[in-house]
């Protein structure tokens, strides 16, 4: 994985903002709308992948608002994943919520691991159409 200025930016955001929505974006009202809109595509019991989950701000909200979902968040910035894991521990989420480091361009999950995969404001961080196609794939 190349550690360019985009990576450095998000790594710093994760280090600075802890569990706050500011790690991802200052507009928490718009984030609420995103969470509501994406949540309509998740059914109780689904296995869900949140790609580019940042500090898990939205991931936890989806876990809380659906029954028996298992939700995995991945992000390429270690500070974001560390913040998510810290919040998970503090708030007492169980093993149905998990986080790991991963790059949307090279995820290693076997096919059919998830019922729903979503990504919010992450593809915009990929600097070419070829990389965005790779991420979508
Ligand atoms: C604008 S934030 C969005 C966070 C979250 N999806 C949300 O809706 O609040 C973008 C996130 O994407 C992550 N990201 C950027 N490029 C990525 C990549 N190539 N692979 C995985 N995560 C990436 C950043 O580290 C950052 O946490």
């Amino acid at each position: 994985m190349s550690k360019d200025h985009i990576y450095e930016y998000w790594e710093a955001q994760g280090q600075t903002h802890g569990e706050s929505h500011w790690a991802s974006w200052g507009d928490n009202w718009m984030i609420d709308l995103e969470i509501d809109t994406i949540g309509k595509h998740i059914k109780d019991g689904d296995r869900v992948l949140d790609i580019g989950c940042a500090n898990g701000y939205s991931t936890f909200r989806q876990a809380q608002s659906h029954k028996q979902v298992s939700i995995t968040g991945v992000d390429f910035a270690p500070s974001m994943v560390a913040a998510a894991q810290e919040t998970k521990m503090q708030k007492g989420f169980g093993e149905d919520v998990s986080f790991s480091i991963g790059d949307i361009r090279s995820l290693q999950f076997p096919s059919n691991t998830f019922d729903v995969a979503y990504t919010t404001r992450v593809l915009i961080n990929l600097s070419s159409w070829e990389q965005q196609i790779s991420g979508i794939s």
Side-chain angles (χ1 to χ4, degrees), residues 6-119:
I6 296 172
Y7 172 92
E8 299 298 342
Y9 174 78
W10 289 116
E11 179 59 10
Q13 285 289 103
Q15 288 171 8
T16 304
H17 294 292
E19 69 176 299
S20 167
H21 66 84
W22 280 97
S24 154
W25 195 11
D27 192 341
N28 56 312
W29 306 110
M30 191 63 87
I31 292 174
D32 281 353
L33 288 174
E34 292 173 346
I35 292 168
D36 286 349
T37 301
I38 289 166
K40 289 178 183 148
H41 297 273
I42 297 172
K43 299 189 300 299
D44 292 347
D46 274 349
R47 300 162 301 164
V48 181
L49 178 63
D50 180 355
I51 310 156
C53 62
N55 58 4
Y57 182 86
S58 304
T59 324
F60 292 118
R61 291 269 299 275
Q62 296 297 359
Q64 284 170 323
S65 57
H66 296 87
K67 290 184 189 131
Q68 294 176 331
V69 292
S70 66
I71 186 158
T72 301
V74 296
D75 199 284
F76 77 165
S79 64
M80 292 290 195
V81 173
Q85 285 169 336
E86 175 69 22
T87 303
K88 174 186 163 172
M89 200 176 63
Q90 284 179 2
K91 296 198 170 167
F93 283 90
E95 60 188 23
D96 284 344
V97 180
S98 63
F99 298 95
S100 59
I101 296 170
D103 191 309
I104 194 172
R105 294 163 288 193
S106 56
L107 295 176
Q108 302 295 325
F109 298 103
S111 295
N112 300 318
T113 302
F114 301 103
D115 302 301
V116 176
Y118 70 88
T119 187

